[in-house]
Amino acid sequence: MPLLWLSVAFMAGIIIGSTCSLGWLVVLVFFLLGIGAGWVERSRPAASRFSAYWRQISPVSAGFLLAAAMAGALRYQVSIPSWTAADLASYNDQGTARVRGWISAPPDSRDRIDLLEITAEEISLLENDSSPNTFTAVDGKLIAMVRTGGGWQYGDEVLLTGLPVTPAENEEFSYRDYLARQGVYTYFGYPQLKKLGSGRGSFVLKLTFGLRDRAYAFINRSLPQPEASLLAGILLGIETDIPANVEDAFQKTGTTHIIAISGFNIAILAGLFISLSMRFFPRRWAPWVALAGITFYTVLVGAQPAVVRAAVMGGVGLFGRMFGRRQSGANSLAFTAAVMCVFNPDLLWDAGFQLSFAATLGLVLYADPLQTVCERLAGRWLSEETAKRVAAPISEYFLFTLAAQVTTLPIIAWHFHRVSLSSLLANPLILPPQPLVMIFGGLAVLIGLVFPWLGHLAVGLTWPLLAYTIRMVEMLARLPQGSLGLGRVSAWGVAGFYLLLLGLTLGWKKISISKRLSLSWTAASLILVLAAAVTWQSVLAAPDGRLHVLVLGVDEGPAILVQGAQGGCLLINGGARSSQISDALGRRLPFQQRTLDGLLLVPGSASSLEGLPETLQRFPAQAVYISGDLEQWQVGRRLVDTFVGEGLPVHDLAAGESILLGEDTSLRILSVTSKGTALLIEQGAFRMLIPGGVSLYTLQLQESMQSVGVILLSASDLETQSSSEWQQLNPSAIIFTEPVAGAPDELPWLDLQPHLWLELITDGNQLWLNAGK
């Protein structure tokens, strides 16, 4: 108990030091006064009425608590940076500079950018130095934002040329403070980057990151999207591929702890590990087995600082729960948090640290008492043994989550200004399969790294669980009033909540701990159910004899997936937003179909091709077709060279040539001009025209272009002719890829821009349209 009070006092002192400029001398004087008063109070316990009264409140003397608080204030003041010429941050906002350093963390890849953490070693200010080759030794880390596709890796030596600036901040978010908590004070936006060499950094970390990259590639080859992105987030902590709509659904339902390696996630994981280890191992070995599981998981996801902090918190919480002493767990947790703050005082303002601490504290204080109450309630109608079996899964998947939610609720409300009401329903529904996802997924990935074909079969068992998780979260996210917006939350409100919770906790009656976990499903029946689900998904996604044309509306121009009546698949461009394209492909292709029959590249926006390498990593193409002057872009030339280097057949299509996607389905190149390439998709009597910038006059010169069923018009098409002029082809419907003034009233039309996707389905005679977000 004294350890708890001293740790809390130390962290309170850090907060005091951040808000009050007491000065070194004042802090030192109060620290020494506190030590002296503490020794006096300890040697003469009944010296005053105050001492007697204080001992009823706290087991630690007020003097020692004052000394601990002053130690925290002193530690914060020492941490305030004071830059010298040897620090990288001292060169911020002073003009263009060249920096030599090495990439000290795996690149944080997004849809179009990579964020690189670089440890700087030398710098040269170009504007102030007459000799650009004169470098000054510096120390510090920086974040560089670069365009994706550079192939940067941990350990690469690099040379940056750009503007070193202080990270930005505004009223809503301080990127400067966020990076400062990671020891980064300098930012480069889109610098010139040159690779000088490789081989820097830790050999062990290289092996770890290499294993992680191989596991990530295996998951993307073996599972469709968005299930692959969810498994990568759960197992590897890679969240960048999760589609925006799926991520938004997790946020609305308060279940982001499933996909984000946070304190909440580790805390729940620790509870599951301890439950399983207590069932299969002796009591004295169980916490060590659980701790080993958390450690392995931490290394697997990359051992990032936030993950390590969360894992340490979760590991400390294990022992308090294991030995049935809530005070022991709270003492250890508070001491661990204080030690972390000794190394980095800014952690107290980090949302991840706060969530880690609060979630673990919730499990330490409330998990076992809630389970005991559940057993007692069930015992009123059931036998003691049956009551324990019933209470075990309820506790694991609902009550433990509830315990963590209660203690993290004010922090979530404070940082995110909203709380999820649907989380009380979502967590019990989606948490039960997560241990199986981690067990089956982890084993399948390990097997797949050695025997890819066997791992591919094994990872298929996780697909039904992943699909269930995503569909359930998306369904619950659509519930009305499932998420409650709070606006700005008062700090007094947060403090009041915790004071009320503290009062209830101190009055909680201590109860004995008895825990049993019952597994109701056998391994054989579970595997059969999962295999059946995979089979049914394949049956339902099988070709239905109809043509499906999926059009995705993105900023750079539409990406189009054509599925023939017999199942042939052709992707047209499709590299604008790799996560969105992969999500669409994963949802609509059969589970066992991991390849595209072809990829067609036509002129359009150069940025619409930047994400293609990542898309093709998940969905390899058997052939590549090019029509038009694609090599006018640098990215287009690079892509063609990449395809040829990988041995992919590359076909250059001229006007009049076709790509067959089955007996009755084809895509024909109508015309190739300097402005673009016109395409015609045919299925029986149905025809869909994609002018691609080719003029109406050029198309009408062809005998077959007297009428079409659907026309997909882009901005370049409307520059040559108006929408009313395109009606000369007698279309049944017109689709605009962006808002258009003066749209035709005589026939059905659809503005694609407000929709994330549009699907046209036809059997050759009838046409069905589906649109959605």
Side-chain angles (χ1 to χ4, degrees):
M1 198 66 172
L3 194 61
L4 172 64
W5 283 80
L6 290 172
S7 300
V8 172
F10 177 81
M11 290 185 284
I14 292 177
I15 298 176
I16 294 173
S18 68
T19 56
C20 305
S21 300
L22 300 177
W24 291 63
L25 183 59
V26 174
V27 172
L28 182 59
V29 168
F30 275 99
F31 174 79
L32 295 176
L33 287 176
I35 293 291
W39 279 109
V40 170
E41 186 178 353
R42 185 176 181 181
S43 59
R44 301 171 60 186
S48 65
R49 291 183 179 180
F50 174 78
S51 299
Y53 175 75
W54 183 257
R55 284 187 174 277
Q56 298 177 3
I57 300 176
S58 169
V60 182
S61 69
F64 287 145
L65 291 179
L66 175 63
M70 291 301 100
L74 183 63
R75 177 62 186 93
Y76 180 82
Q77 292 189 0
V78 171
S79 70
I80 298 176
S82 177
W83 309 124
T84 67
D87 296 304
L88 173 65
S90 65
Y91 298 90
N92 289 355
D93 310 309
Q94 295 189 25
T96 305
R98 302 175 71 188
V99 176
R100 288 176 180 168
W102 60 284
I103 300 176
S104 51
D108 182 4
S109 299
R110 311 293 174 90
D111 268 346
R112 303 177 191 173
I113 62 169
D114 288 342
L115 295 178
L116 306 179
E117 178 190 289
I118 298 174
T119 297
E121 296 176 328
E122 294 180 319
I123 189 171
S124 173
L125 288 177
L126 301 184
E127 296 183 0
N128 300 333
D129 196 335
S130 58
S131 176
N133 295 320
T134 301
F135 283 85
T136 302
V138 292
D139 182 37
K141 293 183 178 181
L142 63 90
I143 291 293
M145 178 185 290
V146 299
R147 298 190 183 279
T148 190
W152 307 107
Q153 294 181 349
Y154 169 80
D156 287 347
E157 293 187 46
V158 293
L159 175 66
L160 296 87
T161 303
L163 291 172
V165 298
T166 301
E169 63 177 347
N170 54 46
E171 294 182 357
E172 296 296 328
F173 177 72
S174 175
Y175 192 45
R176 180 176 65 183
D177 292 343
Y178 171 78
L179 291 181
R181 289 192 286 269
Q182 305 175 42
V184 179
Y185 300 93
T186 303
Y187 173 81
F188 276 73
Y190 296 105
Q192 297 180 11
L193 201 59
K194 179 181 179 181
K195 182 176 179 179
L196 302 178
S198 60
R200 300 293 297 274
S202 166
F203 177 74
V204 175
L205 288 180
K206 285 183 182 179
L207 291 179
T208 302
F209 297 146
L211 178 65
R212 186 190 189 202
D213 292 340
R214 290 179 56 199
Y216 174 63
F218 170 77
I219 290 174
N220 283 313
R221 288 195 307 267
S222 304
L223 284 173
Q225 293 291 346
E227 288 78 17
S229 62
L230 177 59
L231 184 60
I234 293 174
L235 286 182
L236 307 176
I238 301 176
E239 310 163 32
T240 54
D241 293 333
I242 298 176
N245 60 314
V246 175
E247 187 173 7
D248 182 63
F250 275 93
Q251 291 176 349
K252 288 182 178 179
T253 55
T255 53
T256 52
H257 56 87
I258 298 295
I259 57 177
I261 311 302
S262 63
F264 196 107
N265 191 0
I266 294 291
I268 298 300
L269 190 66
L272 295 174
F273 273 142
I274 198 66
S275 299
L276 294 176
S277 61
M278 287 181 65
R279 178 176 178 84
F280 297 107
F281 294 92
R283 187 176 182 84
R284 62 177 181 175
W285 291 105
W288 302 106
V289 173
L291 189 61
I294 293 178
T295 303
F296 174 76
Y297 181 67
T298 302
V299 174
L300 183 66
V301 300
Q304 298 298 320
V307 181
V308 173
R309 292 196 300 266
V312 171
M313 293 282 190
V316 169
L318 284 176
F319 292 91
R321 282 194 55 211
M322 174 59 69
F323 299 109
R325 294 196 299 270
R326 290 190 288 168
Q327 290 183 355
S328 174
N331 283 337
S332 301
L333 181 62
F335 178 72
T336 303
V339 171
M340 289 182 173
C341 291
V342 169
F343 292 98
N344 186 358
D346 291 328
L347 281 180
L348 283 179
W349 289 268
D350 184 81
F353 175 83
Q354 295 169 4
L355 288 172
S356 300
F357 183 87
T360 307
L361 182 64
L363 285 180
V364 169
L365 296 179
Y366 308 122
D368 289 329
L370 287 175
Q371 181 174 357
T372 303
V373 171
C374 183
E375 291 176 357
R376 289 181 177 178
L377 291 175
R380 295 180 180 181
W381 298 277
L382 304 172
S383 65
E384 181 180 354
E385 187 66 24
T386 304
K388 291 180 179 180
R389 291 182 178 180
V390 171
I394 296 176
S395 301
E396 298 295 332
Y397 304 122
F398 178 69
L399 296 181
F400 291 178
T401 306
L402 180 62
Q405 284 179 318
V406 167
T407 49
T408 56
L409 180 64
I411 298 175
I412 294 174
W414 170 265
H415 286 286
F416 306 109
H417 313 307
R418 67 171 49 247
V419 294
S420 174
L421 303 180
S422 59
S423 62
L424 295 177
L425 179 61
N427 279 291
L429 290 175
I430 69 172
L431 274 180
Q434 302 316 308
L436 299 176
V437 169
M438 297 190 66
I439 293 172
F440 288 169
L443 290 176
V445 170
L446 291 177
I447 294 173
L449 294 178
V450 182
F451 305 104
W453 63 272
L454 185 58
H456 178 75
L457 295 176
V459 80
L461 297 176
T462 65
W463 177 86
L465 303 173
L466 295 166
Y468 166 81
T469 300
I470 293 174
R471 305 305 184 268
M472 183 61 66
V473 167
E474 289 179 333
M475 181 185 72
L476 293 174
R478 292 191 290 268
L479 292 177
Q481 304 300 323
S483 180
L484 180 63
L486 301 176
R488 290 193 175 274
V489 178
S490 169
W492 291 106
V494 174
F497 182 95
Y498 280 120
L499 287 175
L500 177 61
L501 189 63
L502 176 63
L504 293 174
T505 303
L506 294 177
W508 192 275
K509 184 180 179 180
K510 296 182 179 180
I511 53 179
S512 60
I513 298 176
S514 178
K515 192 165 135 175
R516 297 289 185 271
L517 180 64
S518 175
L519 300 176
S520 58
W521 296 343
T522 64
S525 63
L526 178 61
I527 293 175
L528 287 176
V529 170
L530 297 178
V534 173
T535 303
W536 274 108
Q537 193 277 341
S538 301
V539 171
L540 294 175
D544 56 4
R546 298 172 178 174
L547 169 68
H548 294 252
V549 180
L550 178 67
V551 185
L552 294 173
V554 293
D555 296 338
E556 300 81 1
I560 303 172
L561 174 67
V562 183
Q563 287 182 275
Q566 285 76 41
C569 292
L570 176 72
L571 180 64
I572 303 176
N573 285 2
R577 295 182 180 177
S578 57
S579 61
Q580 187 181 9
I581 302 299
S582 298
D583 175 54
L585 293 174
R587 289 177 184 269
R588 288 163 177 82
L589 295 181
F591 175 78
Q592 71 279 6
Q593 182 173 347
R594 307 301 304 141
T595 59
L596 299 168
D597 292 281
L599 169 68
L600 173 61
L601 303 180
V602 296
S605 170
S607 60
S608 67
L609 301 179
E610 291 180 350
L612 267 178
E614 189 173 351
T615 300
L616 293 180
Q617 182 182 10
R618 303 184 178 98
F619 299 91
Q622 297 181 5
V624 177
Y625 304 93
I626 299 174
S627 184
D629 188 12
L630 182 69
E631 296 194 359
Q632 62 181 306
W633 313 315
Q634 182 178 359
V635 63
R637 293 194 299 270
R638 189 170 66 246
L639 278 174
V640 173
D641 293 339
T642 300
F643 295 147
V644 173
E646 293 179 352
L648 279 175
V650 178
H651 308 282
D652 193 353
L653 300 181
E657 295 187 277
S658 300
I659 302 174
L660 298 179
L661 295 175
E663 297 179 359
D664 302 323
T665 308
S666 65
L667 183 145
R668 182 149 51 100
I669 308 297
L670 285 180
S671 178
V672 179
T673 68
S674 59
K675 293 185 176 180
T677 299
L679 308 175
L680 184 67
I681 301 173
E682 298 179 286
Q683 165 80 21
F686 171 81
R687 296 193 294 176
M688 176 177 177
L689 173 64
I690 307 175
V694 178
S695 68
L696 176 62
Y697 173 77
T698 302
L699 295 175
Q700 286 180 325
L701 293 177
Q702 303 190 38
E703 296 181 1
S704 60
M705 286 306 300
Q706 301 305 314
S707 64
V708 295
V710 176
I711 305 178
L712 179 65
L713 296 179
S714 63
S716 59
D717 300 320
L718 295 174
E719 291 175 357
T720 57
Q721 277 84 29
S722 66
S723 59
S724 58
E725 291 177 305
W726 284 104
Q727 294 183 53
Q728 299 177 30
L729 297 178
N730 302 313
S732 301
I734 293 180
I735 301 171
F736 300 102
T737 61
E738 56 188 63
V740 176
D745 296 327
E746 298 80 10
L747 73 162
W749 62 274
L750 184 64
D751 179 3
L752 178 63
Q753 194 67 14
H755 302 281
L756 289 179
W757 60 267
L758 168 70
E759 186 175 23
L760 299 90
I761 306 173
T762 180
D763 57 4
N765 298 311
Q766 292 182 290
L767 175 66
W768 297 269
L769 294 177
N770 297 321
K773 294 186 177 181

